[in-house]
Every structure is written in C-alpha cells, then in structure tokens.
Amino acid sequence: MSDAREFDIIVYGATGYTGRLVAEYLKTKTGLKWAMAGRSADKLAEVRDLIGAAADTPLIVADASDPASLDAMVKRTKVVLTTVGPYQLYGNELVEACVANGTDYTDLCGEPAWMRQKIDQHNEAAKASGARIVFSAGFDSIPFDLGVLMLQKHCVETFGAPAPRVKGRVRAMKGTFSGGTAASMKATMAAASKDPAVIGYLTNPFSLAGGFEGPAQPAGNKPQYDESIGSWATSFVMAPINTKNVHRTNALLGQAFGADFVYDEMMLTGPGEQGEAMAKHVASTPMMGGADDPKPGEGPSKEERDTGFYDVLFIAEYPDGRTAKLSVKGDRDPGYGSTSKMISEAAIALSENQGAGGVSTPGAALGETLVDRLQKYAGLSFAVEG
C-alpha cells in the first residue's frame, strides 16, 4: 500500500456511542493523521466539538447504502476502523471496498457466521491486494486471542512445546456488553432462522479455521466444579466468538498451538454452595436477548466506564501434569471503555506495521506488537502468574 494515503486512520461511525469514544481517544495521539466519517456532516461536526477534537479534524460523509461513498473513503486512508454494526447488515460493502483498494480494516465484530462468509468471499482477494481484514478487535476477542497467544509463547519458552489444553477463565468483570453486541446477536439469530448453514457456523468451534477441523472441544455451557482452580465455573457469554477466533489464530499461525489444541472459556463464580448457586443462576439467566438490552448508541456513563474492569486467567495444562498461568487484566469496563482503546490501538498498529494481506485476527495479524501497545497505552496487562 502506498504511503501517499491522506490519512492513517478513518473512524467510520464516529457519531455512534462507541465511535465517539474511539474518536475521543485518537484525538490524544499526536502525529496521527485521522478523520471522522459517518452519514451526516452536521452530526460529525457536533461530535467533533463535543469531544474537544481540533476544529480542523477532517469530516467525511459516507454511508453503507452508498457504495461509491465507501469506495471514495477507503481510497484516502491506510486503515478503516468501523464501529457501524451489526456488520452483517452494514459491513458488506465496506469490507469489499477495503479488499478492492488494499486498505486495512478493523472492526468490533462478534458475528461468526458473517465472518465465515467474508473469509470465504474475500480471503484470497485480500491476500492479493494486501488488505488486512481484522475482525473482533474489542473485548471480543482481543484479551482472549492475545492471552492464549502469550501464554503459549511462555509455554514454548519454558517447556519447549505449546500446551495441548488451555482454559480461559473469567475471574472478575465489572461492566456490561454494548448495545451493538445485543443488536448483532439479534441479527445473527434472524439470519439463522433463514439459513440453516448459519447454525453450523455458530456451533462449530472451527468454523473460522479455514477448513481445519481439530479435536472435540468442551462445550463450557453447563456449571461445573473445577478442582484445579478450586472454584465453580459457568457459561461465558462471549465464549462462542472468542473460541472461534482463537482457533483461527492457531490455524493462521500454522497450528502454532498444536493440531491437537483444546480450548474453552468459562466464568468463575467461586467455591462452595454460594459458588454453585451463582454458577447455576448465570447458566439459566440469559445475559442478552431481553427487553432491557442496551440499544445501539446507548452506553454507560463515564464514571461507570472508568470504574469497570476485567480479569481473565488462562491456564495451560500438559498430560504429564505441568501447568502454566497467565492473566490478562483491563482497567476499564470491557464493552466500551476498554474496547474503544483496544480497537484504536489495533488500528494504529495496522497503520504503522506492514504485513501480509488476508482476512485475519488480532493475534495472527499483529501479535506481540499489539500486546506491547495495549500494555503501554490502553490499560491492559499480560502477566505470567506463579
């Protein structure tokens, strides 16, 4: 891609709740050439002024229903960062334009059936054009994708081989999922009702792994007591997308975690009767899909974002009993405060680092480069635990 592009990053969807947080974060990055894009010039100007961005911050009018406007937009930038979801409804033409123009792309997608369709449609063309299409650059799935990557790096350095079994366990979390996540789930369920193939993509842990089919994976959807941790564990709402991205990263890295790799994610609820009761309550109470779901464009207050956090433990296990642990922690609420920083740093990393084109993951496309940026700028920590 030519360095003659006008911008490093264009934030598409900058007038939405999460897009505004992204723009607010990018305005602090000195030397970055960036622009705000959306359907309305007036709303873009309003948000620019609201967040205190420079008065000369470029504003670009582009609309998912106008492919020509998307094509004109992506030609101007190295990277498009889009928060306009559900992506299965509003992302098709944008991905196509980025692939055609060799423009890098990143989003917050947690829609595995749509992602599989885009892999099938565009992976080879993206390789040819040099466009890196990086899905799921928010809480789903960066902490999990990169957490497994860094734990396996530690395992190879310590034991000489990757661990065949890794558990992802959410130890603590304060915050909520986004309105966009809820809308994406509803759109996915609507798509599944029309196309039986979608169900297969949703249920197969390897549906994003490029044709690779590994060993049977734990469902992780029923409460269980984990002796090795001393805690009850229950289903985790983001596991269906995170696990698929982890397996895609493994496939893209040439089975770096092993062809026999087994991975699941659950949420810890504590020991004893109280932990058991909480595990059963979480398993029987849908976290999304109700009338109280946040709407796209809605979100928590700044105080709620700033007081949120998450703590995820990754445990590597070998057949001979050896183990290793690594934690990933974030200092803001997962769905908004931390997500807006994670996708921003992913976009900056794409703009500053060359790489092979294709439909990828944060772990495969950016790896330790992104880990370093997240620890330095975005309030995340990756730490081996004893």
Side-chain angles (χ1 to χ4, degrees):
M1 182 170 54
S2 169
D3 288 334
R5 300 271 175 129
E6 186 178 351
F7 302 112
D8 298 316
I9 299 168
I10 290 177
V11 181
Y12 178 59
T15 59
Y17 185 93
T18 305
R20 189 179 77 227
L21 294 177
V22 169
E24 196 167 14
Y25 183 76
L26 290 181
K27 75 170 189 180
T28 67
K29 299 290 184 176
T30 56
L32 186 73
K33 296 182 293 182
W34 70 288
M36 299 166 59
R39 289 181 295 177
S40 165
D42 289 343
K43 286 186 178 178
L44 287 166
E46 186 180 323
V47 170
R48 176 198 62 200
D49 296 342
L50 184 70
I51 65 173
D56 60 355
T57 301
L59 309 177
I60 298 168
V61 175
D63 191 331
S65 64
D66 179 6
S69 71
L70 299 178
D71 190 68
M73 174 179 72
V74 305
K75 281 181 164 71
R76 301 175 67 182
T77 187
K78 293 180 181 178
V79 183
V80 170
L81 183 169
T82 173
T83 60
V84 182
Y87 296 95
Q88 59 199 282
L89 301 181
Y90 305 114
N92 293 301
E93 289 78 10
L94 181 56
V95 171
E96 188 173 347
C98 286
V99 170
N101 289 285
T103 300
D104 291 341
Y105 164 105
T106 190
D107 68 16
L108 298 170
C109 188
E111 304 163 42
W114 181 77
M115 292 159 63
R116 169 60 185 268
Q117 292 163 2
K118 297 304 108 177
I119 291 167
D120 293 345
Q121 291 171 359
H122 296 302
N123 191 45
E124 293 307 313
K127 288 179 181 178
S129 74
R132 289 172 290 177
I133 307 300
V134 179
F135 297 132
S136 308
F139 185 63
D140 51 326
S141 295
I142 278 179
F144 306 89
D145 188 21
L146 296 180
V148 173
L149 184 80
M150 296 306 289
L151 176 58
Q152 291 287 33
K153 176 178 183 284
H154 170 71
C155 286
V156 170
E157 291 172 349
T158 305
F159 302 123
R165 174 75 171 108
V166 171
K167 301 174 182 177
R169 298 293 183 260
V170 180
R171 287 192 291 203
M173 185 170 69
K174 181 185 176 188
T176 184
F177 57 87
S178 71
T181 297
S184 291
M185 189 189 80
K186 290 172 183 173
T188 296
M189 292 302 102
S193 69
K194 299 175 185 174
D195 182 1
V198 170
I199 299 292
Y201 297 151
L202 295 176
T203 56
N204 180 2
F206 299 99
S207 60
L208 304 183
F212 174 79
E213 292 286 339
Q217 303 287 311
N221 59 356
K222 294 180 180 176
Q224 62 186 56
Y225 184 75
D226 191 329
E227 294 277 359
S228 68
I229 306 172
S231 174
W232 280 86
T234 193
S235 53
F236 175 50
V237 68
M238 312 311 296
I241 180 61
N242 292 336
T243 52
K244 292 175 179 61
N245 277 319
V246 168
H247 286 301
R248 178 158 181 79
T249 293
N250 188 32
L252 291 171
L253 296 178
Q255 306 301 335
F257 310 156
D260 59 346
F261 179 61
V262 175
Y263 175 69
D264 74 327
E265 291 176 2
M266 299 186 78
M267 185 162 62
L268 301 181
T269 57
E273 293 181 1
Q274 186 175 354
E276 181 180 10
M278 178 61 73
K280 291 178 177 177
H281 172 74
V282 171
S284 62
T285 308
M287 290 187 70
M288 282 188 281
D292 294 334
D293 284 353
K295 304 293 187 292
E298 295 179 354
S301 67
K302 184 178 187 305
E303 181 183 1
E304 289 171 324
R305 296 195 307 269
D306 289 351
T307 57
F309 63 88
Y310 51 92
D311 175 0
V312 186
L313 178 67
F314 298 90
I315 305 154
E317 297 179 344
Y318 291 82
D320 61 6
R322 290 176 298 174
T323 64
K325 296 178 181 179
L326 179 139
S327 66
V328 178
K329 299 177 182 180
D331 69 348
R332 294 289 187 274
D333 83 293
Y336 298 91
S338 190
T339 279
S340 58
K341 294 194 287 183
M342 284 189 275
I343 192 173
S344 297
E345 291 299 339
I348 294 170
L350 285 169
S351 75
E352 292 183 350
N353 298 274
Q354 297 298 309
V359 182
S360 194
T361 61
L366 297 167
E368 289 183 64
T369 297
L370 182 54
V371 171
D372 291 344
R373 292 200 67 91
L374 294 173
Q375 294 199 112
K376 190 172 182 180
Y377 302 114
L380 274 71
S381 67
F382 294 73
V384 173
E385 296 195 357

